[in-house]
Amino acid sequence: MAAVAAATRWRLLLVLSAAGLGATGAPQPPNILLLLMDDMGWGDLGVYGEPSRETPNLDRMAAEGMLFPNFYTANPLCSPSRAALLTGRLPIRSGFYTTNGHARNAYTPQEIVGGIPDSELLLPELLKEAGYTSKIVGKWHLGHRPQFHPLKHGFDEWFGSPNCHFGPYDNKARPNIPVYRDWEMVGRFYEEFPINLKTGEANLTQIYLQEALDFIKRQQAARRPFFLHWAIDATHAPVYASRPFLGTSQRGRYGDAVREIDDSVGKILHLLRDLSIAENTFVFFTSDNGAALISAPRQGGSNGPFLCGKQTTFEGGMREPAIAWWPGHIPAGQVSHQLGSVMDLFTTSLSLAGLEPPRDRAIDGLDLLPTMLQGRLTDRPVFYYRGNTLMAVTRGQYKAHFWTWTNSWEEFRQGVDFCPGQNVSGVTTHSQEEHSKLPLVFHLGRDPGERFPLSIASTEYLDALRQITPVVRQHQEALVPGQPQLNVCNRAVMNWAPPGCEKLGKCLMPPESVPEKCSWPH
C-alpha cells in the first residue's frame, strides 16, 4: 500500500496546489531521469557478470537501488522501442511497424517519412499536468519531419538528433544527420560534431553529459520538477568515445564507450547528491534493445547467456540491463524478478507524478512502484513483436515461439549474422518458420539460452501452453493496430530517388514486388 499511498499523497498535493490551498513549501513530485542506452546488452555491466568489471558507477547504482534481471524492451530495434517507452504502448498500437514485409524490422532513417502520430500521448505531454519541465538529450528517432519534432510532443527542450550518427554522407544524394538545439539546427554529425571513424574519437558523450548537468542545475535553481530523457548513442555502431577514454578498456573500443557512459552516469548521480535532491529524484537506467552482435566484438556488446541479439526476438535481442535508483525510497541492494518492460517506465513515471494513465486507449505498461517500494510481483505476459508479427510470448518462466527467424539466407551468405557462433538447429532459422500450431516452448529459468525446447509430448509443455494460449488469444482479439508509420518510401519524397525508381509511387510495395535496384536495406 505504500506505493499507492505515495501516489495518492502527491495527487492530493497537486490538487491542493492548483486550487491555491496547498501549504507553503509542500513537497513537489519527484524528478524523473530515464537513462536510455543504445544497443547496450544485458551482459555489458559488471553487476550482470561482465568479467572485466569496468562499470563501477553503474554497479554502485545497482547496489544502492534495485536490479531487474528480467527486464524487456518492446521491440528488438531502436525506433519502435523508443516509441513504446514514451507512449506506454506496444509499437504495433502506435503504428511503429511496417507492412512492407512479414515480421520485418523497421525504424526511421532519412528515407522514412512517417513518425509518431499526433494521436499518441507521450510521457512529457502528460507530465505537464503535474508541472514538469521536460528535456530530451540525444537520439529522438520518432520521425524527422517537422510535425514529429520532440517539442511538438511535450518536450520543452531538446539537444540531439532525429536519427543515429550514421555517416558520413556526401551531402548530395544524402545529407549528414543534423543536430538540433530545440528548433535550431546547430550542426551535423561528422561536420560541426566530428566523429573519427578510424580512431573512434568523438566528444559527443561529454556534450550530452554537460547538457544533462546544466538542465538539472537550472531546474533545481527554479525549484521545478523535471523529466530528463537522456538517450545517448555511443554504444551504437560506429561506437565512439572521447580521447580520455579511448584505449582504456580491456574490451576494445566498445568497452571505451561503455566506460565513458559509466563515468557520465556517476557524474549525474553525484550532482544529484551535491544538490541535495537525490532523495527526490527517481533514476532508471536501461537500453533500447539488445547488443548488436552483427557489430561485435569491436563495435558491439554482450547479451550474456542469451541467444542472438538486436533485430531478433530471442532473449538476446529483447532482454535489457535495468537498474532503478531512488535513495530513501527504493531499498538498497535489491534484485526483483518482476517481468518488466520499457513501457512500464511510462506508467511508473505518471504514478510518480501523481497522474493516472490515459483511459481512452490500451496502455501496456505496468506501474512498477509496488515492485520497487514493496517487492510485490505482478503476473503479466511479455509480447515479442517483430514488425507486424507476434513472434513469441513469455509468461512466468515459459516462453513460446510462434515464429522463428534471424535474418534471410541472402543476408547471411553476405556475412550479416545476428547470432554469430550461436546456431541452434530449428531455432535460429534463416527462413521464417511458423510454429503457431505447435509452438517452440522454453523454460527460461533452466534454459535462458533457448537451446532446448520442451518436448511436445511432455506434461510440462501442455501446462505451459495452457498458461500462454488464452493470453495470446485475448491479446490478439482486442488488438487494434495503428496506421503503419515505417513503410519504406520512394526517395523521391525526399527529393531524390535511384534511377528508374521515380515512378514507383510514394510507398513501396512489399520487398518481393520492388525492383532490386530500388530496394533499401533491412
Side-chain angles (χ1 to χ4, degrees):
M1 297 297 295
V4 176
T8 302
R9 183 170 65 253
W10 285 318
R11 290 187 189 109
L12 179 60
L13 287 168
L14 288 168
V15 170
L16 292 174
S17 177
L21 302 174
T24 302
Q28 293 179 337
N31 308 308
I32 300 168
L33 269 69
L34 301 184
L35 311 177
L36 183 68
M37 302 303 104
D38 201 338
D39 291 6
M40 183 177 281
W42 189 95
D44 278 332
L45 308 185
V47 70
Y48 281 100
E50 202 290 310
S52 64
R53 302 283 174 171
E54 294 179 343
T55 54
N57 293 292
L58 286 163
D59 297 348
R60 187 180 308 115
M61 179 183 176
E64 295 172 353
M66 179 173 282
L67 188 73
F68 289 85
N70 303 319
F71 196 84
Y72 290 86
T73 184
N75 190 275
L77 205 62
C78 40
S79 292
S81 70
R82 292 160 191 269
L85 187 158
L86 289 173
T87 63
R89 288 154 53 83
L90 286 164
I92 196 164
R93 300 191 197 276
S94 63
F96 263 66
Y97 66 98
T98 179
T99 56
N100 286 147
H102 180 263
R104 177 177 170 179
N105 289 317
Y107 65 112
T108 56
Q110 295 185 77
E111 295 78 23
I112 294 291
V113 298
I116 194 71
D118 284 341
S119 58
E120 292 298 319
L121 293 173
L122 272 62
L123 179 58
E125 295 179 78
L126 297 172
L127 289 176
K128 284 185 183 298
E129 298 175 28
Y132 280 75
T133 300
S134 300
K135 177 167 185 165
I136 176 171
V137 175
K139 182 174 169 181
W140 168 238
H141 232 198
L142 301 188
H144 54 80
R145 300 173 78 195
Q147 65 265 38
F148 306 129
H149 193 287
L151 271 59
K152 286 248 183 175
H153 292 272
F155 283 102
D156 299 293
E157 299 181 23
W158 178 32
F159 183 88
S161 173
N163 293 302
C164 197
H165 58 279
F166 292 126
Y169 301 118
D170 61 9
N171 280 331
K172 296 177 182 177
R174 178 184 293 182
N176 281 320
I177 305 296
V179 175
Y180 286 87
R181 180 176 297 284
D182 301 333
W183 287 102
E184 180 186 1
M185 190 184 83
V186 293
R188 296 181 184 273
F189 291 135
Y190 301 96
E191 297 176 26
E192 292 83 359
F193 297 91
I195 303 170
N196 188 318
L197 294 182
K198 183 176 180 180
T199 65
E201 182 178 351
N203 208 39
L204 288 167
T205 299
Q206 292 302 308
I207 295 172
Y208 294 149
L209 170 62
Q210 196 59 51
E211 288 290 325
L213 299 178
D214 290 347
F215 177 74
I216 292 169
K217 291 174 185 176
R218 283 190 285 111
Q219 302 316 310
Q220 168 59 10
R223 297 293 189 266
R224 288 190 296 254
F226 62 83
F227 166 46
L228 174 60
H229 186 36
W230 199 60
I232 66 171
D233 66 354
T235 44
H236 188 300
V239 299
Y240 59 78
S242 63
R243 186 172 298 177
F245 292 91
L246 285 174
T248 64
S249 170
Q250 298 179 57
R251 303 178 64 196
R253 190 178 298 175
Y254 181 87
D256 295 341
V258 172
R259 290 199 66 188
E260 184 166 18
I261 289 171
D262 177 77
D263 182 78
S264 298
V265 171
K267 287 183 169 65
I268 290 171
L269 300 185
H270 184 75
L271 176 64
L272 297 177
R273 292 190 183 95
D274 278 356
L275 295 177
S276 300
I277 58 173
E279 292 191 359
N280 196 41
T281 304
F282 172 78
V283 185
F284 201 96
F285 177 94
T286 190
S287 179
D288 63 346
N289 47 248
L293 299 187
I294 185 176
S295 305
R298 285 181 53 81
Q299 299 273 337
S302 166
N303 294 315
F306 303 118
L307 186 62
C308 300
K310 177 181 179 178
Q311 304 246 23
T312 79
T313 49
F314 299 108
E315 291 296 287
M318 297 286 290
R319 204 184 294 211
E320 309 305 326
I323 304 169
W325 186 86
W326 191 13
H329 301 273
I330 297 175
Q334 301 298 302
V335 176
S336 173
H337 293 284
Q338 171 69 48
L339 292 184
S341 166
V342 293
M343 297 178 290
D344 300 343
L345 300 178
F346 172 88
T347 309
T348 303
S349 295
L350 292 179
S351 183
L352 287 164
L355 301 172
E356 297 280 354
R359 296 186 179 183
D360 62 345
R361 63 199 64 208
I363 299 295
D364 299 292
L366 295 180
D367 180 1
L368 291 178
L369 282 183
T371 297
M372 294 184 291
L373 303 183
Q374 295 177 268
R376 187 187 305 172
L377 299 180
T378 302
D379 181 36
R380 63 96 65 89
V382 173
F383 298 104
Y384 302 67
Y385 271 90
R386 181 166 172 168
N388 59 354
T389 304
L390 180 62
M391 304 287 285
V393 174
T394 286
R395 188 173 185 188
Q397 294 279 14
Y398 293 102
K399 180 178 181 180
H401 288 268
F402 305 106
W403 289 87
T404 52
W405 186 39
T406 55
N407 60 331
S408 69
W409 277 113
E410 290 75 14
E411 287 182 332
F412 183 69
R413 292 185 184 112
Q414 294 169 7
V416 178
D417 190 354
F418 295 159
C419 313
Q422 292 184 307
N423 178 57
V424 180
S425 180
V427 179
T428 54
T429 56
H430 291 289
S431 56
Q432 296 185 15
E433 300 292 336
E434 185 174 7
H435 310 280
S436 297
K437 293 183 179 179
L438 289 173
L440 294 180
V441 178
F442 298 89
H443 187 287
L444 294 178
R446 297 193 304 264
D447 181 23
E450 299 171 277
R451 288 166 171 80
F452 307 105
L454 301 182
S455 167
I456 61 175
S458 68
T459 301
E460 184 179 15
Y461 179 88
L462 296 176
D463 288 343
L465 285 189
R466 289 191 191 101
Q467 295 179 44
I468 292 173
T469 300
V471 170
V472 174
R473 184 184 304 116
Q474 180 182 9
H475 170 71
Q476 293 182 323
E477 288 175 352
L479 180 67
V480 180
Q483 183 71 24
Q485 297 294 313
L486 305 184
N487 283 346
V488 178
C489 291
N490 191 327
R491 294 191 188 184
V493 175
M494 306 300 293
N495 300 318
W496 182 87
C501 298
E502 292 83 357
K503 297 182 180 180
L504 284 175
K506 182 178 179 181
C507 287
L508 299 178
M509 299 298 290
E512 61 269 18
S513 306
V514 181
E516 179 65 26
K517 64 183 177 181
C518 304
S519 63
W520 323 116
H522 287 208

